[in-house]
Each structure stands twice: as C-alpha cells, then as structure tokens.
Amino acid sequence: MDNAGTVVQQTGAKLRHFRLLKGISQEQLALDCDLNVNTIGMIERGQKNPTIYTLQRICDGLGITLATLFLYEDRTDTATEESIQRIEAVLRQLSCLLYTSDAADEL
C-alpha cells in the first residue's frame, strides 16, 4: 500500500479510537456531523479519503481539534507491554521478599 493509503487508514483508525473513547456509535457521530453513516464507516475503515472540511466536521462531533487528531499516536501496545514487564518485575521482587520474610519467621 502506498503512503497515501496508509495515512488514510491511520486517520480512520484514529477517528474510530476517539469515537469509541467518547462512547458513541457511528450513527450518532454521523448525526452530530450531518454526514451519512456509511461515510463515517468508510472513513474509519480507510476506504474513503475525507476532505479536510469533512475531517473538521468529524472532529467537531468528537469534541477534538484537527491538531489532536493528527498529533495523536496510539502507543498502547508498547506501553502496555512495558507496563506488564515492570509489574512482573515488582511481583518477583515482592515474592522474594515474602519468601525471605517467611523463612526468617520460622527461625
């Protein structure tokens, strides 16, 4: 896929993220933006390249700015993996401390 297609898909995924974050359906967003629900779906799936005007209308419906849309980077996978690794390390340390403490109590 070319860069333009990738940008369109990334933009659609970001819009979907913000819509779900707001807790509204495609139908509700379409009503809020005065757009067709099929248009919203196609944009979210990266099948339609929206104009800047359409993006502005969608952002208004989501309560975000165009800057927020374009600057947002979804890093949840990496952040989640790093968080899990840190939690596992702390749990291992706590487990060792508890084991050591229990052994000392038996003396």
Side-chain angles (χ1 to χ4, degrees):
M1 178 171 290
D2 63 355
N3 285 342
T6 301
V7 170
V8 170
Q9 286 187 333
Q10 289 172 348
T11 302
K14 290 178 184 185
L15 289 170
R16 183 174 195 273
H17 166 80
F18 284 110
R19 177 180 59 77
L20 293 174
L21 195 63
K22 189 172 180 181
I24 61 173
S25 65
Q26 288 181 344
E27 291 82 6
Q28 184 60 53
L29 181 58
L31 287 172
D32 293 346
C33 303
D34 195 29
L35 292 170
N36 185 293
V37 68
N38 294 327
T39 300
I40 298 291
M42 290 175 69
I43 291 170
E44 285 188 0
R45 290 188 301 275
Q47 297 173 334
K48 185 173 180 70
N49 188 357
T51 65
I52 198 75
Y53 176 70
T54 299
L55 286 176
Q56 181 63 62
R57 288 168 60 187
I58 295 171
C59 286
D60 288 346
L62 293 171
I64 62 171
T65 64
L66 278 170
T68 299
L69 176 67
F70 288 120
L71 293 174
Y72 174 77
E73 291 185 35
D74 185 11
R75 298 179 185 250
T76 54
D77 293 338
T78 303
T80 301
E81 184 61 30
E82 290 171 0
S83 295
I84 289 170
Q85 289 174 357
R86 283 194 303 268
I87 290 168
E88 287 174 342
V90 168
L91 288 174
R92 281 192 297 276
Q93 290 173 346
L94 287 173
S95 178
C96 289
L97 288 174
L98 289 173
Y99 177 76
T100 305
S101 175
D102 287 344
D105 289 343
E106 292 177 10
L107 295 176

